[in-house]
Amino acid sequence: MTAFARESAPLNEGVLTVELRTVNHRYLDCTFKLPDALRVMEPQLRDEAGKALARGKLECLVRLQAHQNNTTAYRIDDQRLADLLQAVDALQTQLREPAPVNALQVLQFPGVYTQAEETNEALQQAASTLFSEALKNLQETRGREGQTLAGLVLDRLSQVEFEVEATRKVLPELREQQKQRLQTRIEALDVDADPGRIEQEMVYLAQRADVDEELDRLDAHISEVRRALKKGGPCGRRLDFLMQELNREANTLSSKSQSSKTTQNAVELKVLIEQMREQIQNIE
C-alpha cells in the first residue's frame, strides 16, 4: 500500500527527521538512507519494519539538519591531526611541485574529527524513537487505506455473487432448451431414432454443459474472500491467490457456455474479478 509518515525532533546537534514511504510491492523490500552516525542502526530498524509490515517497498530516510552555531558536533583528534600534518610535510619535501593542502582535505581524512560517543548514543536513541512513531503512523495510514480498499473489493464481490446466482437461475431453462433443440433436429431428419441413444446423447450434452461444480466453487471462493477481509491483518497474498481461483472458474464457465446469456455472465465475472485483483495488489 502507498503511505507516507514523517516525524521530527529538535536535538542539541540539530533537527532529526525520519521519513517513511511505502509503495506496492509483492514482498517486503526495505531501503534505508541514514547518516554515518546512524548506519549501525540499520539492522535494528530493518528488523522493526519487518515485524510491522508484511509486504510493500519501504523507503526510510533519516537526516540530521545541524544547527548553524553548533560547535559541539565535532571533536578534533589533535594527535591524529599532528601526525597527519607531519606526514604531509614529509611528503611535500619529496615532491617537485606539491599542491597546497587545505583544511577541508585534512578533515576528510578518517579519524581527524569524530562525534562524541555520548552524542552518538543520544542521537541513536532519538532516531529509534522517531522511527517507531513514524512506523506507527505509517501503519495507521495503511490501515485506513486498507479499509477503503476492502470496501471496494466487497462491492465488486457482491456483483460477482449476483452474476453467479443469475447464471444458476437460468440453467434449468437452458437445459430444457437444449433438449428441445435436439428433439427438433431429430424430427427434422425424419428417421426412426433409438430412444436409448437419444437419452445417451442428452446426458452427454448435459455433462458437457454442466457448470454446477464451477458455480459451487465460485460461491466457496466468494465466502473465503469475505472471511479473509473480515478477519483482518495481512491478507493480500491469500486474496491474490483467491482471485486466481475465481478467474480459473470464470474461464471454465465461459468455455462451457451454451448460450449468449451465460457467456455474457462469464465475461462480466472476469471483468469484476480483474477489477478486484487490481485493488488487491494494494492490500497488505
Side-chain angles (χ1 to χ4, degrees), residues 85-120:
L85 294 177
Q86 184 178 358
V88 170
D89 290 339
L91 182 61
Q92 286 182 329
T93 59
Q94 300 181 34
L95 298 176
R96 295 182 178 179
E97 297 180 0
V101 179
N102 59 47
L104 289 179
Q105 290 175 322
V106 173
L107 288 176
Q108 290 175 359
F109 192 84
V112 171
Y113 74 88
T114 59
Q115 288 183 292
E117 186 68 24
E118 62 273 16
T119 300
N120 280 351

Side-chain angles (χ1 to χ4, degrees), residues 26-28 54-55 235-242 284:
R26 189 173 182 181
Y27 304 104
L28 181 61
R55 67 175 183 172
C235 59
R237 292 182 183 176
R238 182 168 186 80
L239 290 175
D240 191 44
F241 169 76
L242 289 170
E284 181 181 2

Side-chain angles (χ1 to χ4, degrees), residues 158-221:
S158 296
Q159 297 178 52
V160 168
E161 203 168 26
F162 174 82
E163 294 296 334
V164 170
E165 187 59 29
T167 303
R168 182 176 275 113
K169 286 181 178 180
V170 301
L171 288 181
E173 179 182 351
L174 293 176
R175 289 167 183 152
E176 184 62 28
Q177 290 177 358
Q178 190 178 49
K179 180 179 179 180
Q180 292 297 330
R181 285 197 300 268
L182 181 59
Q183 290 178 340
T184 300
R185 290 174 182 174
I186 293 174
E187 291 173 359
L189 293 174
D190 193 21
V191 295
D192 293 332
D194 181 8
R197 179 65 177 178
I198 293 175
E199 289 298 326
Q200 289 179 357
E201 288 298 324
M202 297 184 87
V203 170
Y204 173 71
L205 291 174
Q207 288 177 342
R208 286 187 57 189
D210 183 28
V211 293
D212 286 336
E213 290 186 9
E214 285 75 14
L215 295 176
D216 289 342
R217 283 194 289 267
L218 282 168
D219 282 337
H221 295 329

Side-chain angles (χ1 to χ4, degrees), residues 54-79:
R55 67 175 183 172
K57 185 174 179 60
L58 171 69
E59 294 182 1
C60 173
L61 171 63
V62 181
R63 64 175 180 271
L64 178 64
Q65 186 175 1
H67 297 311
Q68 294 182 353
N69 59 350
N70 185 6
T71 58
T72 62
Y74 304 113
R75 174 184 296 169
I76 302 297
D77 189 327
D78 295 331
Q79 183 58 51

Side-chain angles (χ1 to χ4, degrees), residues 5 25 33 47 58 73-74 76 106 111 127 138 157 166 181 208 226 235 274 279 283:
H25 199 271
K33 296 181 180 179
D47 182 64
L58 171 69
Y74 304 113
I76 302 297
V106 173
L138 190 78
L157 199 64
R181 285 197 300 268
R208 286 187 57 189
R226 292 187 187 279
C235 59
E274 178 61 22
Q279 296 295 342
I283 294 179

